[in-house]
Structure formats: C-alpha cells, structure tokens
Amino acid sequence: MSVPRSNIVRLDGVEKHFGAVRALDGVDFQVDTGECIGLVGHNGAGKSTLMNTLAGTLAPSRGRIAIRGTVEENYSVIRAQRLGIRCVFQELSLCPNLSVAENTRVNHASLKGFGWRRRSAALISAKLDEIFPGHGIDPSDVVSDLSIGKRQMVEVARAFTVTEAPLDLVILDEPTSSLDAHTAGQLLAFVRRFVETGKSCILISHLLGEILDNADRIVVMRDGKVVAIDNASSFDRTRLVTTMGGGNHAEKPATRAETIAKQAGPQRVRARSGRQTDSTELVAHEGEIIGLAGLAGHGQTELLLSIFDARAAGRNVEVTAPVALVAGDRQTDGIFAQWSIGKNIGIRSLTRLRNGLLISPRKENEMAEAWKKKIGIRTPDMNNNILSLSGGNQQKALFARALGSDARIILMDDPMRGVDIGTKLEVYDLIRDEAKAGRTFLWYTTETDELEHCDRVYVFRSGVIVASLNRGEVTEEKVIQSSFSEAS
Amino acid sequence: MTDAVVEPSSSRAANSAARARMLRAMLPALSFALVVIAIAWLNPRAISYFGFSLMLNLAIPIALATIAQMFVIASNELDLSIGTFVGFVGCVTATWLRDAPLVGALILLGSIGVYALLGALIHLRNLPSIVVTLGMSFVWQGLAILTLPTPGGKAPDWLSAIVGFKPPFIPFPILAAIVIALIVHFGLMRTSYGAILRGSGGNPVALGRAGWSILRVKMTLFALAGLFGVLSGMTLVGITTAGDANIGNGYTLLAIAGVILGGGEFVGGRVSPIGAVLGALTLALAASPLLTFMKIPPDWQVAANGVILIVVLAARVLISRRER
C-alpha cells in the first residue's frame, strides 16, 4: 500500500504475572493499520493472556499500552470497545439462552429503544450474509439450537458488526476451529477484504497454513515473550514449528512402505450409517488407524457414537472389542471439572483400580503417574484439579483416560480442536505406537493434515459415506472433491 | 451450490429443536388446560365467573411471588426467603401501611433496597444464594413477628377495594394474571435490557467481556424480585384482609415449582414469565379446588398436590429430553 502506515496498537514491555507465573514477560510489538498479524505459539506461550490484555479484560502488571500513539492509563473492556478494538475469544462467548439478534445486542449498548430487535436482526443478518453467504442462520434462532459451527459463525460475524463505536482492530482467536473448510475459507477471504480497507486484524491459529496464507506479518511467542516477528513470506511451516519450539518430531508420518507391509488383523468394527442406501460400510481391523473425513457435522460424530453404543445401534454396527471415546468438546463431554487430573484419567478403568469395594488411591496414583510420564502432562502434581491444565494438556489427560483403559478400539471425535502443535505431534506419535501394538483407532478430524496418519479414510457427506480412500490416495483435493461432489 | 448440500440436514435439526422448544413452551398452557378440564368434568358449575373468582382467589399473590422467584432464577440464583418475605410484607401492610402510610411505604421501599443489596452481596462475595436467602428467610420471619406478634391488623381500605374489583365478563384473578404476565413478558423478554438480564444466566462471562456490569444486573434482578415480593404480600393481605407472620411460608416452594412448571430451568437463564404465571395458576387450582372436587380428604391434599407436581414436571423432563 502506498498510504503511510500508522500503528493502531503499540505494546512496550508489557508484563502480566499470575502469582509466580509470568504469563507475559516483557512483550513489545505493534499492529499497523491495514495489516493482518498472525500470532502463533505453543499452549502456554502467552497468546491468550496477550489477547485478553489487548481486549482490556486483563490489566497488565507492568508496561505500557498505547492506542493510536496515546498511552492508555486506565485501559478496560469499555475503553477498548470505544477505541475500536474487538475480540473473538476461543471458547464461545454467546449466551446460549438468547437469540442471535439478542446476542448481537449484548455487544452493542446503542441497540436499544423502540425497534431494537429489528435493527439488531438486520445488523447481524447483513454481516452474516457478507462473511458467510448461504449461512442458513435466522436472527431469531436461539443459539442453543445452533450447531457449534454456526455458533462460531455468529460469534465471528458479531465481532465485525458496527454501530456507534468504531471498528479498527479485530482479534480472532482460533476462529476456524469449529468451521469446516468451506466456511473457514469464506471467513479468511473476508479477513483479507477487511484488512484491505485499512483495518487491522490479529489472527491466532494452530493451523499454520491459515497463518502463512493470510497474515502479512507473523509474531511467534514462546514462554511469555515474542521470539520472532517477520514478514509472512519469510516463514515456512518448518521455520514456524522450529521457532515455536515444537520439538524434534518427524514432520511426516510413518513411511508408506511400513504400512503396506502391515498385515490386516481380525476385524474389529463394522458399521454403516442408518441413512446409507447402498452397501458401503465402515470396516476397521486390528491395528488400523481409520480416518473419518468430510465437512464438519456430516454424520461422522453420529457414527462414532453409534459404534460407542453398539448394543443400542442394532444390526448396523458390529464391534468385537471394548471401546473408549475421546471427546472433541472436552469442556462439555470430556472432563470432570471438579476432579483431579488423576481421577479424570482413572474413571474409565475403575474396575482395575478397585480394592474390594473401594477405589484404591494407590493404584489410581500409580496409573496417573505412569501416564503423566508416558504422555507428558505438564503439571507438578496429578492431584491438582484438571482445570489447572492448559487446553492441550487437558486433552492429553483425555487421551490417557482412553489409552490407559482396557479398550482395544479408540474412537476420536475431532480431538485436536484448538490443541497446540507440540501436543499434536506428541499425540500423533503415541497413536502410531499404540496402533502398532494392535489397537484400532477411528479418527474423525476436520484437519486434512491429520488424515495422512490414517491407513484408510472414509469421506462423509450428508450422513453417509461417499468415498473410501486408501493411504496412498489421500490428498486434500480428493477429500474436498468427495465432500462436495454433488455440488459440481 | 455447496450450501445446498449442507442445508437440508442442518436446518432440519434446527427445526426439530425449535419444535421441541415450542412444545415445551406450550406445556404450561397444556397442564393448565388439563387441570381446568378436570375441574369442569368433576364439577361443571365451577366453570363460571363466580367459580373462577373463588377458585383463583389466592392465585394472584402466588403468581406475583412466582414472578419474583423467576427473576432470581433468571440469573442462576435461588431465593429461599421469598415466602417469609411475603409474610413480612403482609404484616407491614396490615399495620404500618394502614396506620402510617408514609412510614409503611418507606419500609416496603427499604425492603426492596435490601433485596438489591443481597444481590450485590451474593455477587461481590461470590456466596451461594441459597445460603444467603435461607438466612434472610429467618430475618424476615423475625421481623414479621416483631411487627405483628399475633395474627391481626387490617388491610388498608384502598387495597381491599383494588383486589375486590369485579370487572365485567372476565373474573378479576384471570384479568390480573394476564396483565401481570404481559407486563413482565414485555419487560424481560422484549426490552433490550431484558435481554441483558437473561443473558446473565446464560453466559455471565460473555456479558462482562462485552462491558456490562454483572453487579448491576444482579442488583436489578434481586430488586425486581423484592418489588414483586412486595406486590405479592400486599395483594395477599388485600384478599385475606388481615396479616399473619406465617401467612406466606408455603410460597417459597410454590414459587420455585411455579417457575419450573412454567418452563423455566434452574440454570442457564431460561425462564418464561407467561409460563410462570400459568404455572402459578395451575398450582393454585391443583392445590385445593381440584382435589376437593375429587373428594380427596384435606389430610391427603398436600401429598396429592405433590403427586400432581411430580407428574407435570416429569412430562416436562420427557419433552426436554426429546429436545437433545
């Protein structure tokens, strides 16, 4: 752009301490007008804290925040909104009991008085149409009736609506985590259009491709510090991963030769969806990793649940070994929020942990310690509450629960949602090892990269399996092609 | 094009969820109609202007107390003191408000202020509302006994005149119920601040991030509960014409049952003013007229009332489960 750039936000030596923990340890960086900044880092690198500081929900312990060159002394949420800074938080911040229009009103104090419902509905509808054409969301829909993907669409669109306050900078934290590839593409295209009008955006994502393709500059954080700021073009996947400290994992999954050599063991799972009209069915053998792909919400989770509850599913499902499920929505379906990490891991294996009629604390602790070591849960004490862990480590605990059980079949319902890349790589290794040891994995994922780990991939569309791809055939193009084939 | 593939299944899911929600919203009206039909079948003469005036005589104070409870439940709290508070208000109304109207009015306004402060206390100190309001229930009870040690006093004449009003065609309790339901529905469900009040039950963190003061929301909701508690106590004394420190004790649980019967939920900010009023009317009818007509002896009426409550709430749970 030929217009000279000025900065919207400038941080100088911002620190944030939580007790002894330095979540932010002296952060300097700035956001210019008309640019999209990609922010990446491990879980616990300080991204969320930084974002909350910018949004005004957390006050920095030290350092200065300047907005458009003016140092802000009493920076708060209301001040941030007045200055045109908005934030879309990772965990959904809609009120599930309110309608889409009412949720829009929550963010706009000026939507009041006569006709506010109509104005609010028009505002959010227009923005949804602009960002996600063909979204199929009505402003009078109650949010709890919407799928998680649509909720995220509403949340994102709401952040871009404008009434009285200006809008200059939008911070998006994992905005595509619950969107399928199609709607995620719509959103990212909109972000580029938004930035071209001279506004700014901070994009936080664990999908490095999204960051590399859409950001102008990339900021890499580690341990509460900014460790690299550079133009996006000077980064590639490998450099990002190494800068983040992703570790020394192999980038590519097991070689193809290895899998061809693998002998198919006895059949473990046979399942077909109730809506399937032809004879296609999902088949999994011992030691196989089976991928379930396709657009989000096209029946993958339903099939996993019917396998999990095979007795209730009747003739359509046949399962020959114990099953465990790793939930995707860990806050609602996965963790017991009141319990310790150890108890959360042990719950699936209580029969083994028993001593007479009672649960043996010693056996429970042994199991917890063994898995802490094996899966690398970062905590000083497995007796701490599960919520003391970061999101990625909570998910590890859920994996430990499933893998530590007697289950020979592990069902995974998009378990890597919003998990940092380091954790992912560790878990991928673990899954491969466990599969080699004879466990069967059924893995629903919305991230095409993860399908590379699978021996066979079933692509779903509208509740039925439309394609079955063997390892060598899996490409993003083919998966998308199958997901959309009726539309072409 | 691509959306054509996505749409049918997802909009069908949204439709069925919306249908189930509609069904649940209809349930209070259905249960009310069921009770009325049962009464009509047992005793056709009860279905008349005079019959309804008599049967629903005490329904209005219950409806007002239910609305008070609903405001508290809307923000995921519970008020265990509403019953004794209604009794306290009744005693003040039968004494101070008649003898020294200014002092009486100040006491009642002050008690609404106390409610607002309770909301602030519960929010700021992060205390369980059950504990705070349980304690307050004894405070109100004590104050009521201090005000009126033995049943007595007299309702102010203007109050008796209001509750004795006989409109043409529609019995007064039904008219009053409609007016209360519509006013509260408009205030809580249609106004822009009403959405914020309900949002505090749905996702208070989100409200805070959007710059709303949860403290103010809680104080508003508790003050509204106090206001409707005052209205409930006043109408109750207007109807019974005299005060009694124990007169409202049963209202606490009736009010909670009314809210739940009316489609509300304990957490999540899902409440319905129209449903709550219908729930209160249903309870008032099922409480004694229906059972009397069924020739159930008074000794068994309380237990029978509980059974009716369990049946209706079970029906509600079954419908909610279909919603999942």
Side-chain angles (χ1 to χ4, degrees):
Chain A
M1 282 176 54
S2 55
V3 195
R5 286 190 167 178
S6 56
N7 64 60
I8 295 264
V9 175
R10 193 184 168 80
L11 299 183
D12 285 312
V14 168
E15 296 181 17
K16 178 70 192 176
H17 310 162
F18 295 106
V21 181
R22 290 179 166 226
L24 291 181
D25 195 7
V27 169
D28 313 278
F29 93 111
Q30 64 178 55
V31 184
D32 293 339
T33 54
E35 74 168 346
C36 176
I37 295 228
L39 180 59
V40 294
H42 244 162
N43 267 3
K47 296 174 315 236
S48 297
T49 314
L50 178 65
M51 201 178 75
N52 276 297
T53 309
L54 282 173
T57 43
L58 285 178
S61 311
R62 201 174 293 162
R64 286 188 313 170
I65 301 178
I67 311 290
R68 288 196 206 84
T70 320
V71 175
E72 294 292 329
E73 293 297 340
N74 292 310
Y75 195 60
S76 66
V77 184
I78 297 170
R79 185 82 188 131
Q81 284 177 340
R82 210 162 283 158
L83 292 166
I85 296 171
R86 309 270 182 84
C87 203
V88 178
F89 291 92
Q90 189 177 347
E91 71 277 34
L92 297 172
S93 36
L94 298 171
C95 297
N97 59 328
L98 302 185
S99 71
V100 171
E102 285 169 341
N103 268 293
T104 311
R105 184 268 183 279
V106 166
N107 275 27
H108 294 283
S110 63
L111 280 175
K112 59 183 177 191
F114 183 73
W116 70 272
R117 292 157 69 90
R118 193 174 28 76
R119 278 182 281 135
S120 179
L123 186 68
I124 190 70
S125 287
K127 197 51 84 177
L128 278 167
D129 289 342
E130 186 183 346
I131 304 177
F132 304 106
H135 50 79
I137 298 168
D138 191 276
S140 66
D141 286 345
V142 175
V143 167
S144 57
D145 291 347
L146 299 176
S147 66
I148 188 162
K150 286 191 171 175
R151 289 185 205 187
Q152 192 160 33
M153 288 154 74
V154 171
E155 174 131 24
V156 168
R158 183 177 72 162
F160 285 97
T161 53
V162 180
T163 49
E164 276 176 349
L167 174 62
D168 290 315
L169 170 65
V170 177
I171 306 162
L172 297 167
D173 188 4
E174 297 289 346
T176 59
S177 59
S178 300
L179 300 182
D180 55 51
H182 176 63
T183 39
Q186 289 180 325
L187 170 61
L188 293 168
F190 174 79
V191 166
R192 287 314 308 173
R193 294 204 299 276
F194 179 72
V195 169
E196 266 148 35
T197 61
K199 312 291 188 185
S200 316
C201 184
I202 297 179
L203 182 63
I204 302 176
S205 177
H206 286 110
L207 300 174
L208 301 181
E210 265 178 29
I211 298 278
L212 289 166
D213 291 348
N214 294 286
D216 298 304
R217 285 195 300 151
I218 295 180
V219 175
V220 184
M221 289 188 75
R222 188 168 65 208
D223 301 331
K225 292 194 182 87
V226 171
V227 290
I229 304 183
D230 210 338
N231 288 329
S233 50
S234 68
F235 279 101
D236 61 14
R237 205 186 145 78
T238 327
R239 189 182 158 200
L240 274 183
V241 172
T242 42
T243 319
M244 275 190 281
N248 311 316
H249 297 267
E251 260 286 335
K252 282 282 158 193
T255 56
R256 214 161 282 171
E258 188 187 335
T259 49
I260 289 169
K262 198 191 296 186
Q263 288 295 313
Q267 179 179 304
R268 284 286 182 220
V269 180
R270 186 191 60 78
R272 52 184 301 231
S273 140
R275 275 185 272 172
Q276 194 96 34
T277 47
D278 57 14
S279 62
T280 314
E281 49 187 20
L282 180 149
V283 177
H285 296 94
E286 186 180 279
E288 279 187 323
I289 305 175
I290 304 295
L292 281 68
L295 296 176
H298 273 241
Q300 299 95 332
T301 302
E302 286 83 348
L303 193 66
L304 283 183
L305 291 181
S306 71
I307 293 170
F308 183 71
D309 198 8
R311 257 175 306 179
R315 277 181 302 123
N316 280 334
V317 178
E318 201 178 289
V319 173
T320 59
V323 176
L325 177 78
V326 181
D329 190 348
R330 60 178 166 270
Q331 297 306 332
T332 51
D333 299 336
I335 61 167
F336 293 93
Q338 306 287 328
W339 292 7
S340 71
I341 307 163
K343 286 200 165 63
N344 264 289
I345 292 177
I347 181 70
R348 176 65 177 75
S349 312
L350 287 184
T351 41
R352 264 199 298 127
L353 302 180
R354 249 177 14 193
N355 190 1
L357 279 175
L358 304 176
I359 298 171
S360 153
R362 191 182 48 80
K363 289 185 189 165
E364 200 173 56
N365 286 340
E366 277 170 10
M367 178 178 179
E369 284 306 319
W371 279 97
K372 177 187 175 182
K373 219 172 285 162
K374 181 156 184 188
I375 209 166
I377 295 172
R378 292 189 190 93
T379 178
D381 187 349
M382 293 297 274
N383 289 316
N384 286 346
N385 185 280
I386 182 101
L387 294 181
S388 66
L389 297 177
S390 68
N393 277 300
Q394 286 178 22
Q395 197 66 42
K396 277 188 188 172
L398 293 187
F399 271 104
R401 180 194 292 170
L403 296 176
S405 73
D406 60 350
R408 304 303 299 158
I409 304 165
I410 313 285
L411 311 175
M412 302 192 285
D413 181 14
D414 205 5
M416 302 297 192
R417 208 181 286 162
V419 171
D420 64 288
I421 182 103
T423 304
K424 280 181 182 174
L425 294 176
E426 286 170 31
V427 173
Y428 295 159
D429 287 347
L430 193 66
I431 290 174
R432 263 202 311 279
D433 292 346
E434 291 287 332
K436 243 178 256 166
R439 271 195 158 126
T440 306
F441 288 84
L442 296 186
W443 188 352
Y444 163 42
T445 173
T446 49
E447 290 170 31
T448 315
D449 287 354
E450 293 185 344
L451 297 175
E452 290 175 7
H453 301 272
C454 300
D455 298 312
R456 189 163 57 256
V457 171
Y458 293 99
V459 184
F460 283 66
R461 190 176 68 232
S462 305
V464 299
I465 297 170
V466 290
S468 152
L469 306 169
N470 286 323
R471 178 182 282 251
E473 308 168 333
V474 177
T475 61
E476 177 151 27
E477 203 184 325
K478 272 195 180 149
V479 171
I480 291 177
Q481 208 176 23
S482 310
S483 307
F484 285 102
S485 66
E486 257 173 37
S488 57
Chain B
M1 287 278 267
T2 52
D3 295 301
V5 186
V6 185
E7 260 328 290
S9 62
S10 58
S11 73
R12 217 182 302 134
N15 274 348
S16 80
R19 245 201 325 276
R21 191 153 37 77
M22 183 73 124
L23 200 59
R24 201 179 66 187
M26 292 297 295
L27 196 66
L30 285 176
S31 51
F32 179 66
L34 212 64
V35 172
V36 171
I37 289 169
I39 289 176
W41 184 60
L42 290 164
N43 190 347
R45 275 174 303 168
I47 307 301
S48 64
Y49 182 95
F50 183 68
F52 273 118
S53 302
L54 209 62
M55 287 190 299
L56 291 172
N57 189 14
L58 286 173
I60 294 311
I62 297 177
L64 288 166
T66 305
I67 292 288
Q69 187 68 262
M70 185 201 70
F71 281 120
V72 176
I73 289 181
S75 65
N76 300 346
E77 309 288 356
L78 206 57
D79 182 4
L80 295 184
S81 65
I82 192 72
T84 56
F85 180 68
V86 167
F88 164 75
V89 170
C91 291
V92 172
T93 308
T95 54
W96 288 102
L97 199 61
R98 179 184 171 83
D99 304 333
L102 194 64
V103 181
L106 281 177
I107 292 175
L108 293 182
L109 284 178
S111 67
I112 296 176
V114 170
Y115 252 86
L117 290 178
L118 287 179
L121 179 73
I122 287 166
H123 174 68
L124 291 175
R125 305 302 308 162
N126 199 14
L127 297 169
S129 57
I130 292 182
V131 174
V132 174
T133 56
L134 185 64
M136 280 310 292
S137 72
F138 297 109
V139 174
W140 297 124
Q141 177 103 64
L143 290 174
I145 292 171
L146 280 180
T147 317
L148 201 63
T150 52
K154 194 170 184 304
D157 297 330
W158 55 267
L159 190 58
S160 304
I162 292 176
V163 297
F165 174 61
K166 290 199 167 42
F169 310 118
I170 305 172
F172 176 72
I174 293 183
L175 188 69
I178 293 172
V179 170
I180 294 167
L182 289 182
I183 288 176
V184 180
H185 178 81
F186 178 79
L188 190 62
M189 310 304 278
R190 306 291 292 192
T191 65
S192 55
Y193 196 62
I196 304 302
L197 293 178
R198 282 179 290 131
S200 75
N203 191 343
V205 177
L207 282 195
R209 279 177 181 163
W212 296 97
S213 158
I214 302 293
L215 176 66
R216 202 184 129 190
V217 167
K218 285 256 152 122
M219 287 179 75
T220 309
L221 283 169
F222 271 82
L224 283 167
L227 172 67
F228 278 83
V230 165
L231 294 176
S232 171
M234 285 173 66
T235 44
L236 182 57
V237 165
I239 292 164
T240 58
T241 70
D244 176 349
N246 294 312
I247 198 169
N249 289 3
Y251 278 29
T252 301
L253 293 180
L254 270 183
I256 296 173
V259 174
I260 304 305
L261 197 55
E265 276 171 32
F266 283 118
V267 288
R270 288 190 183 84
V271 292
S272 153
I274 294 176
V277 169
L278 279 171
L281 294 190
T282 312
L283 284 176
L285 280 183
S288 125
L290 174 66
L291 299 171
T292 309
F293 293 141
M294 287 168 81
K295 302 204 169 55
I296 289 175
D299 291 349
W300 290 95
Q301 284 198 357
V302 177
N305 213 347
V307 172
I308 290 178
L309 207 62
I310 291 174
V311 168
V312 179
L313 292 182
R316 228 211 71 184
V317 170
L318 286 180
I319 289 179
S320 306
R321 198 171 294 161
R322 269 182 46 187
E323 213 170 325
R324 303 274 163 261

